[in-house]
């Protein structure tokens, strides 16, 4: 869980990597609320669907006046 300053300048950056360490997708967005949702259609940067398998994603949240918080998790795509 990360701290989000309501109405503040909160920025989240999501990066998705394959098991070879290649970044396949990235998105940076501003958040105005702790309940914001970022939607992703499981495609790579070029718009091609990702293959089934294991990926890692890193979420970095930078809040106004706060240090950045980073978390890395596994993502499994099953089609």
């Amino acid at each position: 869980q990360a701290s989000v300053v309501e109405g503040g300048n909160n920025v989240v950056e999501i990066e998705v990597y394959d098991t070879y360490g290649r970044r396949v997708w990235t998105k940076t967005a501003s958040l105005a609320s702790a309940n914001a949702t970022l939607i992703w259609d499981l495609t790579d940067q070029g718009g091609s669907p990702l293959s089934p398998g294991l990926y890692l994603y890193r979420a970095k949240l930078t809040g106004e006046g706060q240090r950045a918080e980073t978390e890395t998790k596994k993502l499994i795509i099953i089609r």
Side-chain angles (χ1 to χ4, degrees):
Q1 181 165 347
S3 301
V4 174
V5 178
E6 292 291 331
N9 184 22
N10 303 288
V11 176
V12 65
E13 180 181 13
I14 309 288
E15 297 174 308
V16 180
Y17 295 88
D18 64 16
T19 54
Y20 296 105
R22 295 178 296 209
R23 187 171 60 195
V24 296
W25 186 80
T26 186
K27 175 76 173 182
T28 302
S30 295
L31 301 177
S33 166
N35 296 322
T37 302
L38 183 65
I39 297 174
W40 174 42
D41 60 1
L42 300 178
T43 59
D44 64 16
Q45 282 305 123
S48 300
L50 290 179
S51 299
L54 177 66
Y55 296 84
L56 296 174
Y57 70 92
R58 178 171 42 208
K60 178 180 177 183
L61 176 66
T62 306
E64 189 173 308
Q66 300 178 0
R67 67 179 184 88
E69 297 182 44
T70 304
E71 192 165 328
T72 304
K73 299 272 188 170
K74 289 185 273 187
L75 168 71
I76 300 173
I77 296 177
I78 301 171
R79 299 210 190 254

